């Protein structure tokens, strides 16, 4: 009974703070901590005095877009490559970042670094923004003394991952938008237009065709279940705002269902596997051991099903199993990726082979996106035209029969 309570306590809380910095100037911002004491300790390490904290029960802070994070990483890599010291590079970033939320986080990271904290440890205090992939590559760069090179590789990996997400979004946004508008039109017709025809049909006193009866029954059922549908939407929004631990099982169910969809499922699976291969390749090239690299890869997947599979692979690899054999047993990876991993394990060039595999998966993804776009447009037109046309014909059938009687 104590385990759920412990899990709830581990969830970070959002705080708004006000105080004065080490030079006596007013300062304010937001931070995440597990309790008030840890929040005050974190601010003390940053040199903030006279602290006033306020718990944010509903955090309305702006989210940092992945594009802004990759841009910041690319700028930091360029500054470090030019020989600018880390603290000076962070100061220059603060003057050029476009996102206010990102500026606040980088300011906190800079203060932690000033107090003697390693950069990867300072980044790890903001887990909602900096993933395990980010922290692992920064730590590898600091340990090897090649932080500039690691930041460039990290920026390249983030940009490629964001490109993959954009391709999938671009393939899905048009059909989703059309389906949403069409669904709204159908609901309006069934809720507001069909009842008017139904009143006219009752005045005829004759039996209605079966098609008209089906449409009328659908309209009545939709009108009766309207409040329940609104409650369902509100419930979904409430679940969406729950902590990640409460969403975990829901996300797994959703992602598993999406992978089973025809056409879209294979598209999503290809994008996730390509991102998986590129991320693991970047970590291995950075010198991170395979068993340690799979943990950040699970976070970078951005897919609940593949995240669980990757963590399972990590446990098996830590116990001495070969990665390729464990991948083949899951049934989630294409045979090409499994074979390349097996070859990489034998030759010691897994990072290069995974990078090539990621490139091949990107090419396959482009072909599938283009094919899906050309297929969905006429398919959506035919389906929606058939639905709306069928409803209109069903509504006018009684009128046509009445005209034949007279």
């Amino acid at each position: 009974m104590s385990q759920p309570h412990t899990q709830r306590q581990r969830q970070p809380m959002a705080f708004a703070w006000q105080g004065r910095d080490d030079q006596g100037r007013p300062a304010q911002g937001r931070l995440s901590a597990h309790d008030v004491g840890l929040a005050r300790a974190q601010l003390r390490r940053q040199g903030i005095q006279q602290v006033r904290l306020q718990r944010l029960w509903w955090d309305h802070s702006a989210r940092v877009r992945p594009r802004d994070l990759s841009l910041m990483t690319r700028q930091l890599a360029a500054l470090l490559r030019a020989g600018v010291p880390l603290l000076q590079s962070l100061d220059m970033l603060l003057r050029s970042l476009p996102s206010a939320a990102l500026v606040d986080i980088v300011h906190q990271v800079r203060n932690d670094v000033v107090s003697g904290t390693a950069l990867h440890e300072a980044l790890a205090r903001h887990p909602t923004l900096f993933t395990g992939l980010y922290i692992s590559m920064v730590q590898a760069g600091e340990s090897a003394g090649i932080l500039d090179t690691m930041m460039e590789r990290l920026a390249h990996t983030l940009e490629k991952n964001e490109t993959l997400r954009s391709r999938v979004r671009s393939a899905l946004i048009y059909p989703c938008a059309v389906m949403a508008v069409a669904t709204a039109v159908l609901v309006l017709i069934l809720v507001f237009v069909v009842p008017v025809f139904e009143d006219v049909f009752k005045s005829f006193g004759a039996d209605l065709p079966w098609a008209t009866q089906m449409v009328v029954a659908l309209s009545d059922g939709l009108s009766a279940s309207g409040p329940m549908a609104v409650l369902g939407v509100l419930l979904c929004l409430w679940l969406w705002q729950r902590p990640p631990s409460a969403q975990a099982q829901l996300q797994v169910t959703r992602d598993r269902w999406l992978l089973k969809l025809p056409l879209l499922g294979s598209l999503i699976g290809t994008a996730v596997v390509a991102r998986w291969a590129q991320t693991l390749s970047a970590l291995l090239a950075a010198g991170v051991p395979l068993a340690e690299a799979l943990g950040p890869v699970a976070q970078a997947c951005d897919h609940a099903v593949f995240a669980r599979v990757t963590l399972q692979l990590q446990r098996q690899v830590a116990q001495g199993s070969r990665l390729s054999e464990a991948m083949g047993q899951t049934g989630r990876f294409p045979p090409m990726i499994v074979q390349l991993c097996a070859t990489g394990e034998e030759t010691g060039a897994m990072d290069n082979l995974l990078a090539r595999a990621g490139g091949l998966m990107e090419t396959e993804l482009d072909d599938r996106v283009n094919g899906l776009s050309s297929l969905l447009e006429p398919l959506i037109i035919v389906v929606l035209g058939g639905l709306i046309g069928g409803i209109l014909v069903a509504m006018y059938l009684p009128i046509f029969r009445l005209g034949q009687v007279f």
Side-chain angles (χ1 to χ4, degrees):
M1 296 296 293
S2 60
Q3 185 176 0
H5 178 73
T6 303
Q7 291 177 351
R8 286 195 297 269
Q9 292 296 325
R10 290 179 180 176
Q11 293 299 325
M13 298 178 289
F15 295 93
W17 61 269
Q18 293 180 347
R20 294 186 177 274
D21 59 15
D22 51 3
Q23 298 180 2
R25 296 174 299 188
Q28 61 181 3
R30 301 187 183 204
L31 58 84
S32 297
H34 295 288
D35 54 44
V36 176
L38 291 177
R40 292 187 181 277
Q42 183 175 338
L43 291 172
R44 280 197 301 269
R45 287 194 299 267
Q46 299 174 10
I48 305 298
Q49 305 295 329
Q50 303 179 19
V51 175
R52 288 185 297 172
L53 285 173
Q54 180 181 359
R55 170 75 185 276
L56 299 178
W57 296 97
W58 185 272
D59 189 6
H60 295 280
S61 58
R63 294 182 179 272
V64 178
R65 297 181 302 175
R67 183 178 304 175
D68 293 337
L69 180 60
S70 2
L71 177 61
M72 183 209 76
T73 307
R74 177 64 68 184
Q75 291 175 346
L76 182 58
L79 291 171
L80 294 175
R81 175 67 74 180
V84 181
L86 177 59
L87 283 177
Q88 188 176 350
S89 299
L90 294 175
D91 289 333
M92 296 175 68
L93 278 179
L94 289 173
R95 295 193 293 268
S96 61
L97 293 176
S99 170
L102 188 56
V103 168
D104 183 51
I105 293 176
V106 173
H107 180 71
Q108 296 178 38
V109 171
R110 186 256 181 202
N111 290 336
D112 288 339
V113 173
V114 168
S115 65
T117 305
L119 178 59
H120 73 275
E121 294 178 355
L123 297 175
R125 294 173 181 172
H126 307 276
T128 56
L129 178 61
F130 301 106
T131 61
L133 164 69
Y134 205 107
I135 296 167
S136 297
M137 293 194 68
V138 171
Q139 183 178 7
E142 288 181 311
S143 302
I146 52 172
L147 183 58
D148 53 348
T149 303
M150 288 298 101
M151 295 303 294
E152 286 184 352
R153 290 182 180 177
L154 178 58
H156 181 69
T157 302
L158 293 177
E159 290 165 356
K160 292 184 76 66
N161 288 348
E162 180 59 23
T163 300
L164 288 171
R165 293 190 186 95
S166 299
R167 289 174 182 170
V168 176
R169 284 196 297 264
S170 64
L172 298 181
I173 190 170
Y174 173 75
C176 290
V178 172
M179 292 300 295
V181 173
T183 302
V185 172
L186 287 174
V187 170
L188 290 175
I189 291 175
L190 291 172
V191 174
F192 296 102
V193 177
V194 173
V196 176
F197 279 85
E198 185 179 4
D199 294 336
V200 175
F201 297 155
K202 289 180 180 179
S203 64
F204 292 167
D207 294 334
L208 298 177
W210 65 269
T212 308
Q213 293 178 9
M214 290 181 58
V215 173
V216 170
L218 181 61
S219 174
D220 294 339
L222 189 61
S223 300
S225 61
M228 296 300 296
V230 173
L231 289 177
V233 172
L234 294 177
L235 179 61
C236 292
L237 293 176
W238 179 77
L239 290 174
W240 186 264
Q241 296 296 332
R242 298 296 295 162
S245 59
Q247 295 185 18
Q249 188 58 43
L250 183 63
Q251 290 176 350
V252 171
T253 303
R254 180 202 62 189
D255 290 345
R256 185 179 292 116
W257 176 77
L258 288 175
L259 287 176
K260 294 179 180 179
L261 290 177
L263 299 178
L264 295 182
S266 61
L267 180 69
I268 295 173
T270 302
V272 173
V273 172
R275 188 161 59 246
W276 187 94
Q278 291 171 352
T279 304
L280 183 56
S281 171
L283 287 169
L284 294 178
V288 181
L290 177 60
E292 297 179 10
L294 289 171
V297 170
Q299 295 182 6
C301 282
D302 197 19
H303 194 279
V305 173
F306 277 89
R308 285 194 171 188
V309 169
T310 305
L311 292 177
Q312 179 183 352
L313 295 177
Q314 184 183 34
R315 290 191 294 269
Q316 293 178 335
V317 169
Q319 294 171 359
S321 300
R322 291 167 57 94
L323 177 63
S324 58
E325 294 177 357
M327 291 171 61
Q329 294 172 0
T330 63
R332 293 290 183 182
F333 295 93
M336 178 193 68
I337 299 291
V338 177
Q339 183 59 45
L340 286 175
C341 284
T343 305
E345 288 173 328
E346 296 174 356
T347 61
M350 186 180 293
D351 54 342
N352 294 328
L353 291 176
L354 283 174
R356 293 183 183 179
L360 293 175
M361 298 297 286
E362 281 189 48
T363 304
E364 182 181 354
L365 180 64
D366 288 336
D367 295 339
R368 293 194 176 190
V369 167
N370 295 332
L372 184 64
S373 300
S374 59
L375 176 64
L376 283 180
E377 292 181 10
L379 183 62
I380 289 175
I381 293 175
V382 170
V383 172
L384 296 182
L387 288 175
I388 297 177
I391 291 176
L392 293 178
V393 169
M395 289 296 97
Y396 279 99
L397 274 178
I399 299 177
F400 294 155
R401 288 191 176 184
L402 185 63
Q404 291 175 359
V405 173
F406 291 98

